[in-house]
């Protein structure tokens, strides 16, 4: 069997027709977008597309990165996406012709090149988008391109951020603290590049914009987002450390902002210090009320930039993080992100822990909410996803508070 026949046999199946049709559509479109939305109507489509793309597929649809799809088919078949489409459809891919003039291509590409970004996977699609939809006057384009490239070079576009910077401070580097305010030309262009880089939809509201900024390492400001902490065993004897320790002595937790963390001493804790991270402030409140002096941080369902910054500081000091969250899909996604980004160790987050908590809830006749949403992977215990989906019940942290507090006290 020839290579083409092998590819046709593997790819020309009903479950993959939607993938190949959408891929051809974007490859032949004038602007050649970097991603496309793909509907996944049934289990057969989800399984087939996941096999080709290289990751599990959940729900009724997903967003496909053209470059990642090209990499996946090259790794599997030894030819690129265009060659696969030509074999499946029996005709070559026609190159799209942009209707937009290339009059402004040089300033954008030059500015990106100066910052080492010209070869980024998102760069070409972003340049085309700016020309077609960016609404930037030709005379203004060189200055806008320079400012955008300067900002983009400071963002985390290919991985989690190592640090967070307030948006006004970042904008000031490009000449004006208000350049990245909501609705400005520069913020719109930078967020489009960030969306392309992270393979997500361009944000359509302020909440989505704030989430994308934070994903790139940019906080709305340095004071409003905080990390709720309890009993941090700080090693310093400076005024900052004494202030935090003083609140613990009074039986009070502390909210640390990015500004607080910037004023903190270089080292916070000793190597090997165990620090627990929970999802819900109710767990931290209970620990405070019972006088449990184990270090604890409440991350919430969507950890703020201050939480991430504090966790990075603690892990850099050699602290050992243990994370727990609700047994629902957002909770296990939070646990996964904390293990991936900060090396946290799952704490009472196994499939057996879930079963035990279900049994305790049943014995106490506790009503549990239904488990809704898209299943999330649990790589530390792959069985957990299956067990949760099978039982279809969510378990808030509060339902097994006594077991968590016992761990924090060191009982047993």
């Amino acid at each position: 069997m020839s290579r083409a026949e092998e590819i046709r046999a593997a790819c020309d199946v009903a479950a993959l027709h939607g993938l190949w049709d959408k891929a051809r559509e974007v490859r032949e479109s004038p602007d050649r977008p970097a991603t496309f939305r793909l509907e996944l109507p049934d289990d057969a489509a989800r399984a087939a597309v996941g096999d080709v793309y290289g990751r599990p597929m959940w729900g009724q649809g997903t967003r496909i990165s053209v470059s990642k799809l090209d990499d996946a088919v090259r790794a599997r078949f030894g030819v690129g996406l265009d060659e696969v489409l030509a074999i499946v459809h029996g005709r070559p891919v026609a190159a799209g012709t942009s209707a937009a003039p290339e009059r402004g291509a040089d300033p954008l590409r030059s500015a990106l090149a100066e910052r080492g970004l010209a070869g980024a996977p998102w760069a070409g699609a972003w340049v085309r988008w700016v020309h077609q939809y960016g609404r930037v006057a030709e005379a203004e384009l060189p200055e806008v391109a320079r400012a955008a490239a300067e900002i983009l070079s400071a963002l985390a576009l290919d991985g989690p951020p190592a640090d967070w910077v307030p948006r006004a401070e970042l904008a000031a580097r490009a000449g004006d603290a208000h350049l990245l305010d909501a609705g400005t030309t520069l913020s719109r262009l930078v967020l489009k590049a960030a969306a392309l880089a992270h393979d997500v939809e361009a944000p359509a509201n302020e909440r989505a914009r704030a989430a994308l900024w934070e994903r790139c390492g940019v906080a709305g400001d340095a004071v409003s987002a905080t990390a709720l902490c309890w009993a941090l065993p700080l090693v310093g004897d400076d005024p900052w450390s004494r202030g935090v320790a003083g609140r613990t002595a009074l039986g009070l937790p502390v909210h640390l902002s990015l500004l607080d963390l910037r004023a903190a001493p270089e080292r916070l804790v000793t190597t090997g210090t165990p620090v627990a991270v929970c999802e819900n402030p109710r767990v931290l409140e209970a620990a405070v009320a019972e006088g449990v002096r184990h270090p604890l941080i409440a991350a919430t369902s969507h950890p703020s930039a201050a939480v991430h910054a504090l966790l990075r500081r603690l892990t850099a000091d050699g602290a050992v993080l243990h994370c727990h969250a609700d047994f629902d899909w957002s909770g296990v996604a939070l646990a996964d992100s904390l293990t991936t980004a900060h090396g946290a160790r799952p704490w009472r987050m196994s499939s057996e822990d879930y079963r035990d908590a279900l049994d305790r809830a049943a014995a106490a006749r506790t009503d549990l909410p239904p488990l809704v949403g898209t299943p999330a992977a649990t790589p530390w215990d792959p069985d957990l996803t299956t067990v949760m989906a099978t039982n279809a019940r969510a378990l808030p942290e509060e339902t097994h508070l006594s077991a968590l507090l016992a761990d924090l006290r060191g009982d047993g």
Side-chain angles (χ1 to χ4, degrees), residues 189-200:
L189 268 57
V190 168
L191 283 172
K192 178 62 179 181
L196 289 169
H198 286 289
D199 193 19
V200 297

Side-chain angles (χ1 to χ4, degrees), residues 277 320-324 335 338-339 342-349:
V277 184
V320 180
L321 304 182
H322 302 266
C323 65
H324 188 276
L338 293 175
T339 60
H342 302 291
R345 303 174 182 179
W347 162 37
R348 285 191 180 268
M349 289 295 291

Side-chain angles (χ1 to χ4, degrees), residues 214-235:
E214 286 211 356
R215 185 169 181 172
C216 295
V218 181
D221 56 70
V223 294
S224 60
T226 63
L228 176 60
C229 315
W230 166 242
L232 291 180
L234 302 175
V235 297

Side-chain angles (χ1 to χ4, degrees), residues 78-154:
V79 298
L81 177 59
D82 286 358
E83 291 87 344
V84 169
L85 295 176
I87 292 170
V88 171
H89 293 141
R91 67 184 191 280
V93 174
T97 302
S98 175
E102 290 296 316
R103 54 182 172 79
D106 286 347
L108 288 166
R109 294 186 186 279
S110 296
L112 291 176
E114 288 176 5
R115 296 286 175 173
L117 298 173
W122 50 266
W126 180 70
V127 168
R128 290 189 292 271
W129 180 87
V130 172
H131 292 318
Q132 290 184 288
Y133 308 111
R135 306 196 305 276
V136 181
E138 185 173 3
E140 300 173 356
L141 192 58
E143 182 61 22
V144 170
R146 180 202 63 78
E150 182 170 358
I151 296 298
L152 290 168
S153 68

